[in-house]
Amino acid sequence: MGMNGVLGTALQGLKVITAGLDVVSRNVANADTPGYTRKTIGQTSLVMGANVTGVVSGDVKRQVDDLLVRQIRQENAGLGYVRILNSYYTQLDNIYAEPGSSVGVDTLFSAFRNSMAELAATPDSYIAREQVLRDAQVLASRLNQMSADIQAMRLEAERGIGDAVQRVNELLNRISEVNQQIGSSPQIESPPADLLDLRDNYIAELSELLDIRVIERQRGVVSIMTQSGMSLLDPLPAQLVFDERGMVTAQSLYNSDASLSGVGTIKIVTPNGGSIDLIADNQIRSGKIAALLELRDKYLVDAQAQLDAIADGLARALSTNSVASGAVTSGTQQGREIDLAGIQPGDRISMTVTVDGVQRKLTLIPVTDPAALPLPDNVTPERDDVVIGFDISGGMATAAAQIEAALGGAIQVSAPGGDILRFLDDGAGQTTSSGVGYGLDGSTLDLSALAGQSITVSVGGTDYSYAFTATSTGQDLQAFIDAIPGIGASIVAGDLVISGDTPATGFSISFSDPSVGLATGLAEGSHNTSSIDALSAGITATDFTSGLGIPLFVDGGFPYTGNLDAIPQQLGFAGRISVNPALLNDNALLVRYGSGTMEGDPARPAELLRRLSEAVFTFAPETKVAGSTPYTGTLGGFIQRVISYQGAMASDVYKAASAQEMVSAQLQERFVAESGVNIDQEMANLIELQTAYQANARIVTAFREMMDLLLRV
């Protein structure tokens, strides 16, 4: 190798050791820097022929477990999700307060109910009447405040979504820039380790905001997409757009139709100009943004619905007067009629009918806006009823026609006068032909002209059809009908008589063509296939003389009836419920329900107390307190269920957050142990480098001494 080779090798060694010292110094300096990973530098021998002639340093590399990094990113989304939920549910739990606390809804409702009990015992007491109104005001004010707090939380979530979307765009742009820097580095070198750290820090923050999947391509360049497969970066970044709203109320609900939505939606604009609604397509499933969306559009909406149901229950319980129906007969038809004087849009008419042997539960609901029709079945809390909406703005006759059309003709509906609606069945189970002579036995009635046509007789939901031929007679038709189970047919005085075998049996007749009716003398229609089993109504009292019920609670000064015109009146009612000003002006109305009522009459307070304490109501499944089914119970029982539900939700979220924090912490500990800087290890490396440096420096010194000696010769 020669003397020059010795010097060159020693100098190369010093250069490699210097590079190693540089790496150690950076590791030590960044030991506590978040996201920094321990770096190492390799070295390679230079070989010429069969001899090692020197050494060179390799690339600086990170000590990173790629599988562990992927696990951390996946858990980051869950961590960001539960942290947001836990933060908001802590606030919500404080809003509902502890059961039995002085500001709890259950406590305030109990105080209101107790003051009503005191009034029922001493109805002539001015102080007792005032106490009822004071407790009612406190309860209404508490519902107002809770509703306002929940909507403030929804607005906070809306703004949080906007901030998160902005940060997502910033991170995607920065990752794209790092991609470009990595891609532009010399091909012969490994990707710069510090750039990879910077990239991973951005990705880690992004993974808390969204559930993402990262695909690493050549030389450390990455592509990013959501777990659902929506591309966010490949190679250019997509742009997320959020149309944030400046105000959020109980009526501000999400709708996939942007023109109808009361809150903002997130759209992704791809580099080629395409646009996709990420919320409508359910593309965001975890991370902080998913949690904020669920809070804004689900959990806090559910909380508002529970408060609205409490407010609705309070108002309806005290203001609804039950109206019974009476039996009525018209010829062979039987039924019931009901006086709906004072009926308001949103009031309920409950009806049970039997048609073709099948009993149906119906709820008839009046509206004054035809655009609100038809009403969906879920506007009532029950899930076993069929809802029929009808417009009362045109009077009872028009309403009757609408209801009859909705019932399909099996029930006859009319308005005999005033505010009365009459419901009649389809009469006795018998019909007789008219205008056609069947003779003694029907054989003389030629029906051959009906060849190709048919008649259908339905009994108990089963259809029986007779197809006319070129030889059909009245006798053939009579024999066919007489053979149908449940009914009989005979020819009496030249007419065809069809009747049920029992008084309860009904049937209906239909034709393939009107010519069948003309030739046979029969008429299409049903006979004894329907019955009105029950009919009643609940009508909202808007004054203080229409029964024992009173409009104690109103909607911002207007009567509360559960109106379904345009936006349902119940939506957001908890934020508007208040005590009727008329009662505040004259508290004697709590007792006086007629001109002859004495101030000591306990009838009204006792009835109101019964409704608050004992009356059973049904609350919609949307309140979630009974899972996916309606909750049936007292108003006080429902309030307790709501508080228990929210407490259980807060507890479940806290447990989920604690579990997720533990999983994420364990993964982070593993990452730090494997990829973080260990000062002891770095000091050991430093000692090794010092020793090697001294050895190489001694070789250089020896070389210089030898050269000096040689020059002195």
Side-chain angles (χ1 to χ4, degrees):
M1 176 185 295
M3 294 296 288
N4 288 333
V6 171
L7 179 61
T9 300
L11 292 174
Q12 288 172 358
L14 289 172
K15 185 177 181 180
V16 169
I17 293 167
T18 301
L21 287 170
D22 177 64
V23 170
V24 169
S25 67
R26 282 191 285 158
N27 282 344
V28 172
N30 289 280
D32 296 324
T33 301
Y36 181 84
T37 59
R38 182 167 58 88
K39 309 298 187 302
T40 60
I41 186 169
Q43 60 186 52
T44 306
S45 298
L46 286 176
V47 180
M48 293 185 66
N51 300 315
V52 175
T53 62
V55 64
V56 293
S57 59
D59 294 332
V60 176
K61 294 185 178 180
R62 308 186 304 161
Q63 300 301 303
V64 172
D65 182 340
D66 291 334
L67 177 59
L68 179 59
V69 170
R70 284 197 293 270
Q71 289 179 315
I72 290 174
R73 288 171 183 164
Q74 290 175 355
E75 296 301 331
N76 274 351
L79 183 62
Y81 179 85
V82 296
R83 278 178 174 172
I84 290 293
L85 285 187
N86 191 40
S87 171
Y88 275 73
Y89 261 98
T90 299
Q91 296 180 57
L92 194 59
D93 197 36
N94 291 334
I95 290 173
Y96 275 87
E98 290 288 333
S101 69
S102 60
V103 294
V105 180
D106 56 337
T107 303
L108 300 181
F109 174 76
S110 295
F112 174 54
R113 184 177 55 196
N114 291 340
S115 63
M116 187 66 75
E118 181 65 25
L119 178 60
T122 57
D124 56 344
S125 170
Y126 179 89
I127 295 176
R129 296 197 294 267
E130 279 297 296
Q131 188 62 48
V132 166
L133 296 179
R134 277 197 297 269
D135 288 339
Q137 285 181 303
V138 171
L139 178 56
S141 296
R142 181 58 183 156
L143 290 173
N144 295 163
Q145 185 59 56
M146 293 174 71
S147 177
D149 290 343
I150 288 173
Q151 295 314 311
M153 291 177 65
R154 291 187 67 219
L155 179 58
E156 181 183 344
E158 176 86 352
R159 291 171 177 167
I161 295 167
D163 293 341
V165 166
Q166 181 179 348
R167 185 57 181 162
V168 167
N169 288 329
E170 292 173 356
L171 291 170
L172 289 175
N173 286 325
R174 292 184 181 182
I175 296 170
S176 177
E177 291 171 0
V178 175
N179 270 349
Q180 293 174 19
Q181 294 178 52
I182 292 174
S184 62
S185 62
Q187 294 292 322
I188 61 173
E189 298 179 2
S190 298
D194 290 331
L195 280 180
L196 295 181
D197 277 354
L198 182 62
R199 178 204 68 185
D200 284 356
N201 287 341
Y202 291 150
I203 293 176
E205 185 178 352
L206 181 64
S207 66
E208 284 196 37
L209 298 173
L210 291 169
D211 50 327
I212 58 173
R213 186 162 72 241
V214 180
I215 301 173
E216 188 161 342
R217 306 196 186 279
Q218 292 182 348
R219 306 190 70 256
V221 174
V222 296
S223 296
I224 301 176
M225 61 183 67
T226 65
Q227 287 289 351
S228 58
M230 181 64 62
S231 177
L232 297 172
L233 176 68
D234 187 27
L236 297 176
Q239 179 80 10
L240 269 61
V241 177
F242 179 63
D243 56 331
E244 182 179 331
R245 307 301 169 89
M247 182 176 67
V248 173
T249 67
Q251 292 77 25
S252 304
L253 302 177
Y254 172 77
N255 192 300
S256 57
D257 184 343
S259 64
L260 300 177
S261 184
V263 290
T265 191
I266 302 174
K267 292 185 178 181
I268 184 169
V269 180
T270 59
N272 62 8
S275 176
I276 299 172
D277 190 327
L278 295 182
I279 301 178
D281 291 348
N282 193 29
Q283 296 288 339
I284 303 175
R285 300 170 185 173
S286 190
K288 290 182 179 179
I289 293 179
L292 289 168
L293 288 171
E294 290 187 12
L295 284 162
R296 185 196 69 178
D297 300 335
K298 181 181 178 183
Y299 297 122
L300 294 177
V301 171
D302 290 345
Q304 181 68 51
Q306 291 171 347
L307 293 183
D308 290 342
I310 292 173
D312 173 84
L314 282 168
R316 285 183 180 274
L318 301 178
S319 66
T320 301
N321 289 318
S322 297
V323 179
S325 63
V328 63
T329 300
S330 178
T332 62
Q333 295 175 287
Q334 295 182 338
R336 307 193 72 80
E337 64 182 20
I338 189 167
D339 190 343
L340 301 176
I343 192 168
Q344 302 291 321
D347 285 341
R348 308 289 197 261
I349 302 172
S350 299
M351 184 177 181
T352 304
V353 301
T354 300
V355 179
D356 290 328
V358 178
Q359 192 172 70
R360 301 166 64 197
K361 182 179 177 182
L362 308 175
T363 302
L364 314 181
I365 303 178
V367 300
T368 56
D369 180 7
L373 301 175
L375 297 177
D377 287 340
N378 64 2
V379 297
T380 63
E382 295 85 1
R383 289 298 176 260
D384 59 346
D385 66 337
V386 176
V387 173
I388 297 175
F390 62 97
D391 180 13
I392 57 173
S393 61
M396 283 297 171
T398 302
Q402 295 175 49
I403 296 171
E404 181 171 326
L407 291 173
I411 304 293
Q412 180 182 317
V413 186
S414 62
D419 296 302
I420 295 175
L421 278 184
R422 177 178 295 172
F423 299 83
L424 296 172
D425 63 18
D426 54 1
Q430 178 176 304
T431 186
T432 303
S433 64
S434 175
V436 175
Y438 278 77
L440 293 176
D441 59 5
S443 60
T444 60
L445 178 60
D446 182 8
L447 299 177
S448 61
L450 296 178
Q453 301 298 332
S454 64
I455 182 173
T456 299
V457 181
S458 299
V459 180
T462 302
D463 294 339
Y464 301 88
S465 296
Y466 175 75
F468 294 97
T469 68
T471 61
S472 292
T473 66
Q475 188 178 48
D476 297 326
L477 177 61
Q478 178 266 330
F480 166 77
I481 297 174
D482 194 49
I484 295 174
I487 64 172
S490 59
I491 296 174
V492 179
D495 292 325
L496 177 61
V497 179
I498 306 171
S499 59
D501 291 345
T502 69
T505 304
F507 60 91
S508 61
I509 300 173
S510 61
F511 308 136
S512 62
D513 188 85
S515 60
V516 176
L518 294 174
T520 61
L522 298 173
E524 288 186 306
S526 58
H527 306 274
N528 200 33
T529 63
S530 64
S531 63
I532 293 86
D533 305 324
L535 177 64
S536 63
I539 296 179
T540 302
T542 57
D543 56 36
F544 299 90
T545 58
S546 300
L548 296 179
I550 59 171
L552 195 153
F553 293 104
V554 293
D555 185 356
F558 296 95
Y560 180 80
T561 64
N563 194 332
L564 295 172
D565 292 350
I567 299 174
Q569 192 177 12
Q570 181 174 333
L571 186 58
F573 179 47
R576 307 184 306 270
I577 186 172
S578 60
V579 175
N580 196 322
L583 286 169
L584 299 177
N585 292 330
D586 183 5
N587 65 23
L589 294 174
L590 285 169
V591 176
R592 189 173 63 246
Y593 56 90
S595 58
T597 307
M598 302 293 293
E599 285 197 0
D601 190 334
R604 173 171 278 175
E607 171 60 16
L608 298 181
L609 175 62
R610 184 195 68 80
R611 297 183 186 188
L612 291 174
S613 305
E614 304 171 12
V616 174
F617 305 94
T618 301
F619 298 88
E622 287 75 17
T623 61
K624 306 292 178 66
V625 298
S628 59
T629 60
Y631 171 76
T632 301
T634 63
L635 187 54
F638 176 71
I639 292 173
Q640 291 290 347
R641 280 292 191 102
V642 168
I643 295 173
S644 297
Y645 173 88
Q646 290 298 338
M649 284 292 293
S651 176
D652 290 346
V653 168
Y654 174 77
K655 291 176 183 177
S658 299
Q660 186 63 52
E661 291 277 4
M662 183 178 298
V663 171
S664 296
Q666 290 173 348
L667 290 174
Q668 196 62 39
E669 286 176 6
R670 282 182 54 195
F671 179 80
V672 170
E674 296 180 16
S675 301
V677 176
N678 184 314
I679 295 296
D680 292 338
Q681 182 180 353
E682 295 303 320
M683 290 301 98
N685 291 341
L686 180 60
I687 292 172
E688 289 182 12
L689 290 169
Q690 280 181 302
T691 302
Y693 193 92
Q694 290 170 353
N696 279 277
R698 184 72 188 95
I699 292 174
V700 173
T701 301
F703 174 82
R704 185 180 62 187
E705 292 174 350
M706 293 173 66
M707 288 300 296
D708 288 343
L709 179 62
L710 180 62
L711 291 174
R712 286 197 298 270
V713 172

